[in-house]
Structures are given as C-alpha cells and as structure tokens.
Amino acid sequence: MYRKVIFPVDLTHVDHLSKALQTAIDLANHYKAEICFVGVTGTTPSALAHNPKEYEAKLRAFADEQGTAHGLKSSASARISPDPTIDTDKTLLAAIDDLGGDLVVMQTHAPTALDYVWAGHGDTIAARANVSVFLVR
C-alpha cells in the first residue's frame, strides 16, 4: 500500500523519537517500503553540525544505521533553510512532494495551551500534506 515512508527527524532530539521511529519502521517493514529520513537545518553552525554538509553526513549516517539495523531500504534528505525557525513546515511539505512520499510518520508532543495559538509541526503537516500523515504521541 505504501512505497515510501517519510520520517521527519530532528537529530538533536533523536532520544525523544523512539515511539514514532518504531512506528515508522514497523509500517515500512509491513509494506516493504523505503523509509526516508528528512531533516531541516540552517546555513549557520549549530550545536549538531558546523555546516550543512556535516549535518547531511550525520543524517545519512543515521538513515544508514536505521536501515541496516531493521533490514530496510533507507535514505536521507537534508533540507537547507535560511531560517528553520520560521519555515520548517514549508520545507518539510516541499520535501514530501519532492521525494514522492506517500506516508509521513511524525513524532508530536502532548498538546499545551500554546498549541491553540500556534500549531505544532505535526498539526501543520497533517493539515496541508497531500498524503496520509500518522502523528505519534
């Protein structure tokens, strides 16, 4: 049913993604689908990487590690944004279309009062993506 599962990943918070990651892996295994890890990074140095190329290498290593560990075809797509604080959602939506994903699995956080004012990334992706989106809390 699904050919490519898109898993948006924030490499700085991998330790908080275990439930969503396992869900994405289970679905990819069930449907014999590729899993593509998509990350958004800025052009300036961050705590994770000094530059976009270093970030891309870390994302690719994570994808390779997950693919090998779970017997999946995996890939990585690093998306560079001048300002990820304001356009991560737009960048992810473009990546989903560009990569031909037909299912997105995302980690989401427990809702807070702030979510009534600003939607989280998962809310926005689920509302605007042209494919199915599975939000995991």
Side-chain angles (χ1 to χ4, degrees):
M1 176 187 282
Y2 298 109
R3 295 173 284 100
K4 184 180 275 189
V5 177
I6 303 291
F7 188 82
V9 61
D10 180 347
L11 291 177
T12 59
H13 299 291
V14 168
D15 54 327
H16 298 287
L17 302 176
S18 59
K19 196 170 177 183
L21 179 59
Q22 190 60 56
T23 300
I25 289 167
D26 290 347
L27 287 167
N29 269 326
H30 179 78
Y31 291 108
K32 299 178 181 23
E34 175 184 349
I35 185 166
C36 181
F37 296 92
V38 178
V40 179
T41 190
T43 55
T44 58
S46 68
L48 188 64
H50 294 97
N51 55 57
K53 282 202 175 286
E54 183 180 348
Y55 175 83
E56 185 176 9
K58 288 184 177 187
L59 182 62
R60 190 176 320 110
F62 178 77
D64 290 346
E65 175 187 304
Q66 294 300 315
T68 300
H70 301 286
L72 291 167
K73 180 180 178 188
S74 65
S75 59
S77 180
R79 300 296 169 130
I80 312 305
S81 164
D83 188 356
T85 60
I86 61 168
D87 63 6
T88 293
D89 295 337
K90 183 175 76 176
T91 304
L92 287 174
L93 286 165
I96 293 164
D97 287 341
D98 292 348
L99 296 167
D102 52 1
L103 174 66
V104 177
V105 178
M106 290 183 75
Q107 180 75 42
T108 185
H109 59 82
T112 65
L114 194 59
D115 291 306
Y116 289 102
V117 179
W118 286 290
H121 296 300
D123 298 349
T124 301
I125 300 301
R128 297 184 185 167
N130 295 319
V131 298
S132 296
V133 178
F134 191 151
L135 299 177
V136 179
R137 182 174 303 152

